[in-house]
Amino acid sequence: MLLKLRGGLDSFFVTLLLGVLIAAFAIWGIGPGMLAGNTQSVATVGDTTVPTAQYANAVQRRAQQLQAQFGGQFTADRIIQMMQLDRQVLQQMIQEAAIAENTRELGIRITDAQLAAELLQFEAFKAPDGSFSQQMMAQALNQANMTQKELYIGLRREAASNQLLGSITQGAPVPRVLAERLYTWQAERRRATMINFAASDITDVAEPTEEELQAYYEDSKSNYMTPERRSYNYIMLTPAQFVDEVEIKEEDLLQAYDYRRSEYVRDESRDLQLVSFADKEAADAFIERVAAGEDFIALGAELTEFSAEELELGANTKADLQTDFDSTTADTVFALGEGELSAPIEGLAGWNVFRIKSITAGEEQTLEDVRADLEASLKEEHAVDLMFDFLPDLEDAIAEDGTLTAAATKLNVPLATVSEVDGRGQGPDGSPKVTLQEEGTVLSEAFRTELGIEPELKDLDPTDSTKGVFFVEVTEIKDPAERSFEDVRSEIRSAWIAQRRQEKAGEIAEAAKARLEAGEEAEAIALDLGGTSYDAKNVSRTAEGTSGLSANIRRLIFDLGVGQIDAERAADGNGYVVVRVNDITPGDPVRDAAKVDALHAELKAQFGSELFEQYQAKLLDTYSPEINNSLVNQLFRRDAEE
């Protein structure tokens, strides 16, 4: 019901612009600044620019959409930083600008008739009878804060791009016969007999002699080296270290409470049902029948084009109704009690009759209710600022003194020291010396840093610099060294025995192959040689429907012909598997025509996508986009890391 009546007015860019315009408007950020005459651009592609206002609007709009999805946990600015939305959106807009530049050069234009056809695709612009409504379009554009001229420009641009891209993909169609042949191969099924010989089941392996162990050690010394060990110092800064320095004033709390009011106040809402009619007489007749005892939803579904599910509007606040309808409608509906019907209310698209299914009272958390949590939240936010304010002093101290030890002493910041750990954070005795996630991040960087390199600023989380930063300096590197025979004797013995069992499993598998080729039954061979025999009756090329077979055994089954036999090492390294293919059933493209059609569509889509990617890459190479990085950083990276 909401889709047909409102066309997605709650989230214009998510529902209203169905089809090709969703991508275009999300990328181009068409909004009130589009025609504002701002000539400064964040990027230029040929003669086509990416205006600053459009870019900023697009980034903020995407951030606000994600903010809603995250339930308001993060501010829009924090989301932009965490997800680097400014860079993502800029790249998308540059790609779109390259296409727009190419369509301009080729002289591709969209006629008024084509534009009108595009407009007719939007459900939000239609009256209940399905006809185009100028009033509905005006209301939708008003809710999206967009002018008609801006909409037309976006439509023409996107339609021209689609026309160009369509001509590219249509030039090299994918024949259906290719899909038929591929399906015949993909859908092939095989039946096979297998005998598994697990090395771990073999017990008759003699103890190795001392000479055999020594020889094995000499041949595999490189497998028994001590790990590389490193010692390092690091300084870590996180917002938590600065929280105690933050003082929150009462006016700050009041301002933050007002800003976050939507988190603390839940307005009264009504669960609504709605039936709309083209004229008031029909609406009055409907109300009379409901008053006489007929069901509101059942009768509404019978008399209109809407289903019972579409007549359910769900929970709406008064503000929702003011936005989606008008103030008169909102006042009328909120004056009704539970179970009551409204009189017919005239709207842009006809006459509406509402029913109040239920009422949910509003709730409000006062400032005193949320004071502690709000103050803690504000302290965390301000602590981030203090951390970044302190950072230049630390960088200067490191540059001046050359070591983290001297800088830590000078500025009175904690210096952490880690000694002789391996890449897993374990000490020489095997005990863990690195346990926290942040410490693991520093450890990884320490093993990428060479001895004597001046410490560099690093983020604890590459996707969100507000979580903290660190500097690390490596003080010692101990290279891997050979472990003595006596130190690894027990490991050498276990490895020697495991290798001998595996070799013996291979010998048994070769004997089983010979007996299968001679015509003996698989079950008898397995019983005699200590293996396990079983049949795989419907093996596909992929794991679908045939769980339990490893990829290498499945490949072997499809490499062999009917009646052929071979053996393959078990995927887990525990023994061998002997395989005989008994039967092959190719896929049937005639019987499974619908699946072939789906595969054909997938191939065409994949081919078109690959062509599009190549086309985009060629355009970017041709036009060599110029990016105003300083402006981008000024807009969204005030604590610029670049």
Side-chain angles (χ1 to χ4, degrees):
M1 180 68 172
L2 285 177
L3 180 60
K4 293 183 179 180
L5 280 180
R6 295 191 285 183
L9 299 182
D10 284 338
S11 182
F12 190 81
F13 288 92
V14 176
T15 310
L16 168 61
L17 301 183
L18 296 175
V20 297
L21 282 181
I22 280 186
F25 290 167
I27 291 171
W28 282 97
I30 298 172
M34 183 171 182
L35 303 175
N38 187 348
T39 58
Q40 192 174 27
S41 304
V42 291
T44 303
V45 184
D47 291 333
T48 301
T49 62
V50 179
T52 303
Q54 292 181 28
Y55 166 65
N57 288 343
V59 174
Q60 290 293 346
R61 184 176 292 113
R62 181 60 182 146
Q64 289 164 4
Q65 291 172 353
L66 291 172
Q67 185 181 24
Q69 292 177 21
F70 293 151
Q73 299 179 59
F74 308 102
T75 64
D77 287 343
R78 179 69 65 85
I79 291 172
I80 292 171
Q81 285 187 331
M82 287 192 302
M83 304 187 69
Q84 297 184 338
L85 286 185
D86 52 337
R87 295 300 177 183
Q88 292 181 34
V89 171
L90 180 59
Q91 183 61 32
Q92 291 173 336
M93 293 183 75
I94 287 173
Q95 291 172 346
E96 287 292 316
I99 296 173
E101 175 69 6
N102 196 216
T103 58
R104 185 191 63 79
E105 287 186 348
L106 295 173
I108 298 176
R109 297 290 184 269
I110 299 301
T111 67
D112 289 344
Q114 290 173 307
L115 178 62
E118 291 290 336
L119 289 172
L120 292 176
Q121 302 302 312
F122 298 120
E123 291 295 330
F125 297 169
K126 295 179 181 178
D129 62 0
S131 63
F132 176 79
S133 169
Q134 185 72 32
Q135 285 183 309
M136 293 295 288
M137 183 178 75
Q139 182 181 17
L141 292 176
N142 181 60
Q143 296 301 326
N145 198 22
M146 180 185 293
T147 68
Q148 180 175 302
K149 187 173 183 179
E150 290 169 354
L151 173 66
Y152 287 1
I153 290 174
L155 278 172
R156 290 184 188 276
R157 176 182 291 150
E158 183 63 22
S161 297
N162 285 339
Q163 192 175 102
L164 173 61
L165 299 178
S167 66
I168 292 174
T169 56
Q170 289 173 6
V174 178
R176 192 177 190 279
V177 67
L178 177 62
E180 292 174 351
R181 292 176 181 175
L182 180 58
Y183 181 80
T184 300
W185 179 84
Q186 280 186 342
E188 181 181 298
R189 293 292 187 270
R190 295 193 172 203
R191 184 167 56 85
T193 293
M194 290 178 283
I195 309 175
N196 180 51
F197 297 101
S200 57
D201 292 340
I202 298 174
T203 57
D204 56 341
V205 174
E207 277 290 321
T209 65
E210 196 68 15
E211 291 74 17
E212 288 174 324
L213 289 180
Q214 286 281 0
Y216 188 90
Y217 170 72
E218 292 298 328
D219 290 340
S220 57
K221 279 184 177 180
S222 61
N223 296 330
Y224 298 95
M225 306 283 284
T226 61
E228 177 184 305
R229 295 193 176 278
R230 295 195 173 204
S231 300
Y232 55 90
N233 299 325
Y234 68 89
I235 294 175
M236 183 184 300
L237 297 181
T238 66
Q241 295 169 246
F242 298 86
V243 167
D244 291 341
E245 300 178 26
V246 178
E247 292 185 9
I248 302 298
K249 298 178 181 178
E250 186 67 17
E251 54 263 35
D252 295 331
L253 279 173
L254 290 170
Q255 184 178 6
Y257 179 80
D258 289 339
Y259 181 77
R260 304 182 188 183
R261 183 175 178 80
S262 61
E263 300 176 26
Y264 307 132
V265 177
R266 188 182 72 186
D267 293 332
E268 178 182 315
S269 65
R270 279 160 165 68
D271 193 354
L272 302 177
Q273 298 168 327
L274 169 63
V275 180
S276 295
F277 299 92
D279 55 73
K280 185 175 184 299
E281 291 72 20
D284 286 331
F286 169 75
I287 292 175
E288 290 180 6
R289 292 179 63 175
V290 173
E294 294 192 58
D295 182 73
F296 184 93
I297 292 295
L299 182 58
E302 176 188 332
L303 297 178
T304 69
E305 65 179 35
F306 300 113
S307 67
E309 291 76 17
E310 291 173 322
L311 298 178
E312 299 282 355
L313 290 191
N316 283 259
T317 64
K318 192 170 186 178
D320 292 334
L321 294 181
Q322 290 171 339
T323 297
D324 297 336
F325 297 92
D326 52 46
S327 296
T328 300
T329 299
D331 292 340
T332 302
V333 170
F334 268 74
L336 299 173
E338 188 168 318
E340 293 184 340
L341 274 65
S342 72
I345 304 172
E346 186 175 11
L348 288 175
W351 293 83
N352 303 318
V353 179
F354 292 86
R355 179 178 179 272
I356 312 302
K357 189 175 180 180
S358 63
I359 298 175
T360 302
E363 292 182 359
E364 178 176 355
Q365 290 179 287
T366 66
L367 174 58
E368 292 308 314
D369 293 332
V370 300
R371 177 180 291 274
D373 290 341
L374 182 57
E375 185 172 4
S377 175
L378 289 178
K379 282 189 173 184
E380 290 176 3
E381 292 179 6
H382 287 294
V384 172
D385 295 332
L386 290 180
M387 179 185 74
F388 283 116
D389 289 343
F390 178 77
L391 192 53
D393 293 337
L394 179 57
E395 290 178 306
D396 290 343
I398 293 172
E400 178 183 343
D401 300 313
T403 67
L404 294 185
T405 302
T409 301
K410 181 176 182 179
L411 297 179
N412 193 29
V413 295
L415 177 74
T417 299
V418 180
S419 302
E420 294 190 26
V421 292
D422 60 19
R424 297 177 299 173
Q426 295 181 347
D429 61 354
S431 62
K433 290 192 172 184
V434 174
T435 56
L436 301 178
Q437 181 177 345
E438 294 84 356
E439 294 173 348
T441 301
V442 179
L443 171 72
S444 298
E445 185 61 31
F447 270 79
R448 289 192 293 265
T449 302
E450 295 301 323
L451 195 65
I453 299 297
E454 182 175 320
E456 296 181 358
L457 174 67
K458 299 292 179 180
D459 291 328
L460 283 173
D461 183 346
T463 65
D464 184 6
S465 60
T466 65
K467 289 185 177 179
V469 298
F470 68 92
F471 297 85
V472 62
E473 63 180 1
V474 177
T475 57
E476 183 183 18
I477 299 177
K478 287 189 175 181
D479 293 328
E482 290 182 5
R483 297 165 66 192
S484 68
F485 174 76
E486 291 303 322
D487 287 342
V488 297
R489 190 180 190 285
S490 62
E491 297 175 47
I492 293 293
R493 175 186 174 278
S494 298
W496 187 94
I497 291 176
Q499 178 177 294
R500 187 67 192 95
R501 285 174 173 171
Q502 184 68 15
E503 291 170 353
K504 196 158 189 177
E507 295 167 2
I508 295 173
E510 288 299 317
K513 277 177 56 180
R515 291 172 64 170
L516 267 179
E517 290 167 348
E520 289 189 48
E521 292 294 328
E523 290 185 2
I525 298 172
L527 183 62
D528 185 36
L529 297 180
T532 303
S533 172
Y534 56 97
D535 287 335
K537 298 181 179 180
N538 189 35
V539 182
S540 65
R541 290 188 182 275
T542 62
E544 181 182 356
T546 54
S547 59
L549 285 181
S550 60
N552 65 322
I553 299 302
R554 183 176 289 103
R555 280 196 300 270
L556 177 60
I557 291 173
F558 278 86
D559 285 344
L560 299 175
V562 174
Q564 290 185 326
I565 301 168
D566 205 348
E568 177 73 28
R569 186 185 180 97
D572 60 359
N574 183 23
Y576 283 81
V577 179
V578 179
V579 173
R580 180 184 66 202
V581 174
N582 300 323
D583 183 61
I584 298 176
T585 303
D588 189 342
V590 176
R591 181 193 64 199
D592 301 330
K595 293 181 179 179
V596 175
D597 289 340
L599 178 60
H600 187 212
E602 181 182 341
L603 291 175
K604 289 193 292 185
Q606 181 178 351
F607 180 75
S609 176
E610 291 175 357
L611 271 182
F612 176 66
E613 290 176 5
Q614 293 178 28
Y615 163 68
Q616 274 193 326
K618 175 62 178 175
L619 290 184
L620 294 177
D621 182 62
T622 300
Y623 295 124
S624 300
E626 298 179 2
I627 301 174
N628 188 341
N629 284 305
S630 62
L631 180 56
V632 173
N633 290 335
Q634 180 183 348
L635 287 170
F636 295 108
R637 295 171 183 263
R638 289 173 294 280
D639 299 311
E641 59 224 35
E642 299 182 6

